[in-house]
Amino acid sequence: MPTSDQFPENWESWEIDPSTRTSVHVWNKYVPIDVSVGTSAVDLLSVSRGIPSVNLVTNPSIENATLTEFTASGSAISQSSAQAASGSNSLLVNPANAAAAEGFYWSHAFAGHTEGTHICAQAEVRGASGSGDARLEIHSSAGVVLATGATISLSTSFQRMTLSYQIPDRTAADYRIAVVSVTQHNIDFYVDKIGVEQRRDGAVQPYVDGSLG
């Protein structure tokens, strides 16, 4: 289970080859850039290191056919090469059409001492036809809805969904990030580019995975 040392904003502690000359260590230090011309005065620029993105989902683009990371809820899920927003595959969700809130969820034991940090989630969704709906939600480990994103009217193009939820507890806890139907329907939908981070700034970042560098 991740600890606070693995929060993205604490990345300076990940340095793998510290030395007594850390002030000039270029991997994670500010580096001045000389932009002067000839003998004119020297201007120095520093590029902010910022906070890196760390996607906790290990199969975010569904390129791996093993789907044990995801749990179906009122639906059937499978890897599909019919549609993709990134890579070659996406997650095909076939709602059972028995009730609203049918889809799937991804769960994670978020680190302790997390009061004030945020779960920042995102995904892209596409309908098999131009009808039906879906949205991103964050649930407790018992399935209680804690936060909901905007309702997406399914279309035949991928649309991005984002959601940020501030964790209220200081103890480690499981949370579920779900993509579900909003109303009862039987429209298949595809989900791709799933991203989840734990961040102090609460900002949902651009999607990242290992294939993007």
Side-chain angles (χ1 to χ4, degrees), residues 55-62 69-70 85-86 90-91 93 104-106 120-125 136 161 177-179 190-197 207-209:
N55 192 348
L56 298 172
V57 183
T58 59
N59 188 18
S61 187
I62 323 299
E69 189 175 8
F70 308 105
S86 178
S90 63
L91 188 68
V93 181
F104 74 95
Y105 63 85
W106 172 92
C120 299
Q122 64 180 297
E124 293 197 14
V125 63
L136 193 60
M161 305 182 288
I177 289 75
V179 179
Y190 303 87
V191 181
D192 202 354
K193 298 175 70 172
I194 305 166
V196 181
E197 295 189 75
Y207 169 76
V208 296
D209 67 33

Side-chain angles (χ1 to χ4, degrees), residues 121-137:
Q122 64 180 297
E124 293 197 14
V125 63
R126 180 193 192 279
S129 65
S131 61
D133 50 39
R135 73 181 174 197
L136 193 60
E137 297 183 348

